[in-house]
Amino acid sequence: MKMENFSFSHLFLYFLLVSFFLFVSGNIGRFLIENQGMNRQAGMLLQGVIFTGLTLAVIYILKRKNPDVIKNIGMKGVHSKSKFIVGVSLPFILLITGIATAYLFGGIDNVSLNLTTNVVMAVLINSIIAFLYEAFPEEVFIRGLIFNELNKKFRFIISLVLQPLIFVCVPIVVMALSSIFFGNPFAVTLDYLILLISFGIALQLYRKYTGSLWMSMIFHVIYLEVARYI
């Protein structure tokens, strides 16, 4: 196993930071929307700006201590043109295949496209919010910093198993804090856990194949928009 430079304190710190940032940004936006009358989209956008802003601050601090951190977590871009093409096209191939399969086996009917201006604008705005509030910060911390730290000590396959378990713990901690401080319901279901674990593994494999964290961010955003609008 690879033991060089592994730090459990760094691993735990990254976990605490992403959990705390998600808790703070989420509850600030929720408070402004529910108690101050802020427009819902504006509040959600603010959540994303806060979460991404805090994440960028962490990257800036880490980069000052280690100039290679951007490269180490896969934020330098895709080096292979073929992998870039696969990385961009695969989510859409999976989408089309999924719809076709569901249609052929009677899972859905009356398939149609609703491409009105309102729907297209809603998807575009939500994609920006999803990138800022979910895809960018989560990929940087979970598939970037945390996985990179795990991979210093463990083989890839072990890190691949440990990473989604940590990924699951983040929303659990956030929901627990929200329940303690604000009385929000604490609801963790089995299907939610299965979704997070399988999604975490898929995103990490995507990051491994393409060599770029940006590709897993793209996959992350496309998945969210498909789940919300299709």
Side-chain angles (χ1 to χ4, degrees), residues 76-97:
K76 281 290 188 179
V78 182
H79 302 295
S80 169
K81 185 177 179 180
S82 61
K83 290 184 178 181
F84 173 79
I85 293 173
V86 172
V88 172
S89 62
L90 184 57
F92 298 101
I93 295 173
L94 291 173
L95 169 60
I96 294 171
T97 304

Side-chain angles (χ1 to χ4, degrees), residues 12-203:
F12 189 59
L13 177 62
Y14 298 147
F15 170 75
L16 288 180
L17 286 176
V18 67
S19 301
F20 178 70
F21 291 169
L22 179 59
F23 172 73
V24 170
S25 59
N27 282 285
I28 288 176
R30 187 176 299 110
F31 173 79
L32 292 174
I33 293 170
E34 296 178 357
N35 298 284
Q36 302 299 315
M38 177 177 278
N39 175 272
R40 180 173 175 79
Q41 286 187 332
M44 293 174 65
L45 181 61
L46 178 61
Q47 290 177 331
V49 170
I50 294 172
F51 199 178
T52 287
L54 291 171
T55 302
L56 289 173
V58 170
I59 293 175
Y60 175 76
I61 294 171
L62 292 175
K63 192 173 185 301
R64 293 187 64 180
K65 295 183 177 182
N66 177 15
D68 293 328
V69 66
I70 300 295
K71 178 182 178 182
N72 292 342
I73 65 175
M75 292 185 69
K76 281 290 188 179
V78 182
H79 302 295
S80 169
K81 185 177 179 180
S82 61
K83 290 184 178 181
F84 173 79
I85 293 173
V86 172
V88 172
S89 62
L90 184 57
F92 298 101
I93 295 173
L94 291 173
L95 169 60
I96 294 171
T97 304
I99 293 175
T101 303
Y103 181 75
L104 290 174
F105 286 92
I108 54 176
D109 54 16
N110 298 323
V111 178
S112 63
L113 290 176
N114 183 4
L115 297 178
T116 61
T117 302
N118 288 341
V119 171
V120 173
M121 288 302 298
V123 173
L124 291 176
I125 293 172
N126 194 267
S127 295
I128 295 173
I129 294 171
F131 177 80
L132 293 174
Y133 185 59
E134 295 166 286
F136 181 82
E138 287 182 8
E139 294 308 308
V140 167
F141 274 105
I142 305 297
R143 259 67 62 180
L145 295 171
I146 287 177
F147 185 82
N148 186 57
E149 200 64 41
L150 287 171
N151 211 33
K152 291 177 182 178
K153 182 175 183 179
F154 303 105
R155 295 174 182 174
F156 174 78
I157 189 65
I158 298 176
S159 301
L160 182 65
V161 174
L162 292 176
Q163 172 269 128
L165 297 180
I166 296 174
F167 183 40
V168 165
C169 290
V170 172
I172 290 177
V173 168
V174 172
M175 282 189 282
L177 291 175
S178 296
S179 178
I180 293 171
F181 288 101
F182 304 109
N184 295 332
F186 182 83
V188 178
T189 60
L190 180 60
D191 58 333
Y192 180 66
L193 294 178
I194 293 173
L195 171 63
L196 287 183
I197 291 173
S198 57
F199 191 41
I201 292 174
L203 286 168

Side-chain angles (χ1 to χ4, degrees), residues 181-223:
F181 288 101
F182 304 109
N184 295 332
F186 182 83
V188 178
T189 60
L190 180 60
D191 58 333
Y192 180 66
L193 294 178
I194 293 173
L195 171 63
L196 287 183
I197 291 173
S198 57
F199 191 41
I201 292 174
L203 286 168
Q204 197 65 66
L205 290 172
Y206 214 67
R207 155 77 173 86
K208 176 69 173 178
Y209 172 75
T210 62
S212 172
L213 203 61
W214 296 105
M215 290 292 100
S216 60
M217 291 179 196
I218 291 174
F219 190 98
H220 198 143
V221 170
I222 293 174
Y223 167 79

